[in-house]
Amino acid sequence: ELTALVERYGKPLMIVSDNGTEFTSHAILKWADEMKVEWHYIAPGKPQQNGFVESFNGRLRDECLNETLFTFLSHARQILADWREDYNTARPHSQLGGRTPDQVARQVSRGHAPETLVIPSAQSHKKRELSF
């Protein structure tokens, strides 16, 4: 899956994750080494160091998981697919300049990536710039 994402969106300079076993396995470490992608682990017990993921997980839980009583696996898959579709294609995101993730991805795939994307730093609440 990670290789497919790299092929679609390009190789990131770094991936940030928690220390879960799915992210510390030999397979992940080997993949990161082979792809020459730096892997950064947040400090144990410090989810605020990965604020974007924590924010997304909170939204998913509050807006979808806590609101739905899933009756079957197929029902859960459909509800999650619908929520993901809305999140990525219909809902503007302030950190993306009022655009949807889908709009930004289409721009990037056409080679029109912005030179700089400004994102908040989870630790200092200051802004930092990532150049493309």
Side-chain angles (χ1 to χ4, degrees):
E1 289 299 318
L2 290 173
T3 300
L5 290 170
V6 166
E7 288 171 0
R8 183 171 182 180
Y9 298 110
K11 184 173 74 169
L13 297 176
M14 177 187 294
I15 296 176
V16 178
S17 73
D18 63 21
N19 295 281
T21 56
E22 66 275 23
F23 299 124
T24 58
S25 70
H26 290 292
I28 286 289
L29 297 175
K30 180 180 176 194
W31 178 88
D33 185 54
E34 289 172 356
M35 295 296 290
K36 308 264 188 277
V37 172
E38 185 178 347
W39 201 287
H40 174 76
Y41 294 102
I42 64 171
K46 300 285 186 182
Q48 65 272 23
Q49 291 179 349
N50 204 4
F52 294 108
V53 170
E54 296 301 324
S55 176
F56 173 82
N57 288 344
R59 277 186 170 64
L60 174 61
R61 180 161 301 287
D62 292 344
E63 297 172 9
C64 182
L65 301 177
N66 289 347
E67 298 295 318
T68 309
L69 179 60
F70 300 109
T71 53
F72 298 100
L73 181 57
S74 59
H75 179 233
R77 286 182 174 147
Q78 184 60 55
I79 295 294
L80 287 165
D82 292 346
W83 187 87
R84 183 178 63 236
E85 177 78 13
D86 177 69
Y87 185 88
N88 287 321
T89 64
R91 181 187 307 194
H93 295 249
S94 61
Q95 289 298 318
L96 299 177
R99 294 172 294 167
T100 66
D102 186 58
Q103 290 170 323
V104 172
R106 281 186 277 135
Q107 263 189 312
V108 169
S109 69
R110 290 192 307 255
H112 300 309
E115 287 187 24
T116 302
L117 176 64
V118 179
I119 58 173
S121 170
Q123 291 180 358
S124 66
H125 302 292
K126 294 180 182 176
K127 296 203 178 234
R128 59 188 168 106
E129 295 182 354
L130 299 177
S131 295
F132 290 86

